[in-house]
Amino acid sequence: MHITNDIKPITYLKAKAADLLDQINDTHRPVIITQNGEPRAVLQDPKSYEEMRNALGLLKMLAIGEEDIRKGNLRSQDEIFNDLENRLKKPS
């Protein structure tokens, strides 16, 4: 993050919204918007936002898997494949 370029007061957003959107989409870095000197919002380009959401989804799945391992909720690969094969063989 480039602090001087990536933190802007809300007055800057109001006055130069188009310029700020160009900066965000060109650099793919989020910009923190402040109000009364306090951070109040983050602006981010859509592609980076989508990538972040996808990464968080994967991390969530990993955390769920690790929790299952800790709890002993495990099945062998053979069990899984046998179940899948049996489900695919059943007539609909």
Side-chain angles (χ1 to χ4, degrees), residues 32-54:
I32 298 169
I33 302 299
T34 62
Q35 185 176 34
N36 299 321
E38 297 292 324
R40 300 290 290 169
V42 177
L43 296 177
Q44 187 175 26
D45 68 284
K47 183 179 182 218
S48 296
Y49 177 76
E50 184 177 2
E51 289 171 354
M52 181 187 69
R53 295 226 2 160
N54 290 341

Side-chain angles (χ1 to χ4, degrees), residues 10-11 24 26 37 43 49 53 63 71 73 78:
I10 196 165
T11 53
I24 291 166
D26 289 345
L43 296 177
Y49 177 76
R53 295 226 2 160
K71 290 180 177 179
N73 296 335
D78 289 337

Side-chain angles (χ1 to χ4, degrees), residues 1 4-5 12-13 19 21 31 33-35 37-38 43-44 48 51 54-56 64 70 72 74-77 87-88:
M1 181 178 282
T4 56
N5 294 330
Y12 184 90
L13 172 63
D19 292 340
L21 290 177
V31 172
I33 302 299
T34 62
Q35 185 176 34
E38 297 292 324
L43 296 177
Q44 187 175 26
S48 296
E51 289 171 354
N54 290 341
L56 288 173
I64 291 169
R70 278 192 288 279
L74 305 171
R75 292 176 60 196
S76 71
Q77 179 178 334
R87 287 181 188 191
L88 292 173

